[in-house]
């Protein structure tokens, strides 16, 4: 209820959510349509939908959470939705095994992740 379906969400609170990629490249998404993310610093946002959504990796850094320039997108990858094993009180971004997870309440949006 806090995040509207179909609209871009900053995927966090306050400033844009930054992710560092250190020590090499990683790959997000399924084998058929992967997003290759080279070493560097990026921001992420997402477009949540009832059945999953889209994860956006953007090259722009240092901006506030509502500032977004789509021309600076590195790329986008599909997220799938599923129930969490247990209730998640605070929004959490986690890498567990071979998955990147955006978790809150009783749902998580998931994308495969692997190193290269």
């Amino acid at each position: 209820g806090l995040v509207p379906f179909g609209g871009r969400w900053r995927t966090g609170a306050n400033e844009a959510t930054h992710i560092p990629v250190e020590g090499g490249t990683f790959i997000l998404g399924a084998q058929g349509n992967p997003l290759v993310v080279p070493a560097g610093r990026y921001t992420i946002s997402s477009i949540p939908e009832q059945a999953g959504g889209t994860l956006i990796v953007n090259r722009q850094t240092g901006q506030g959470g509502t500032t977004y320039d789509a021309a600076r997108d590195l790329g986008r990858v599909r997220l799938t939705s599923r129930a969490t094993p247990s209730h998640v009180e605070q929004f959490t971004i986690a890498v567990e095994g071979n998955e990147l997870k955006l978790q809150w309440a009783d749902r998580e949006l998931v994308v495969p992740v692997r190193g290269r």
Side-chain angles (χ1 to χ4, degrees):
L2 297 177
V3 178
F5 290 131
R8 191 189 68 82
W9 176 48
R10 64 181 163 207
T11 312
N14 303 321
E15 293 185 11
T17 300
H18 288 71
I19 58 166
V21 177
E22 300 172 352
T25 298
F26 74 87
I27 301 168
L28 291 170
Q31 296 283 359
N33 192 21
L35 174 60
V36 177
V37 183
R41 187 168 162 86
Y42 304 91
T43 54
I44 59 169
S45 55
S46 57
I47 302 171
E49 297 169 2
Q50 184 71 34
T54 303
L55 180 70
I56 303 166
V57 180
N58 190 279
R59 293 181 190 97
Q60 185 178 11
T61 60
Q63 74 274 26
T66 59
T67 302
Y68 171 68
D69 180 359
R72 306 227 16 221
D73 282 356
L74 177 68
R76 296 176 177 215
V77 65
R78 194 82 188 128
L79 296 162
T80 57
S81 178
R82 66 182 182 211
T84 56
S86 60
H87 184 79
V88 178
E89 188 65 34
Q90 289 187 313
F91 173 70
T92 302
I93 300 172
V95 175
E96 295 177 358
N98 62 350
E99 295 179 320
L100 173 69
K101 302 176 181 184
L102 310 178
Q103 304 171 311
W104 66 96
D106 62 350
R107 302 300 304 166
E108 58 187 11
L109 299 178
V110 181
V111 64
V113 63
R114 59 189 163 89
R116 177 159 106 175

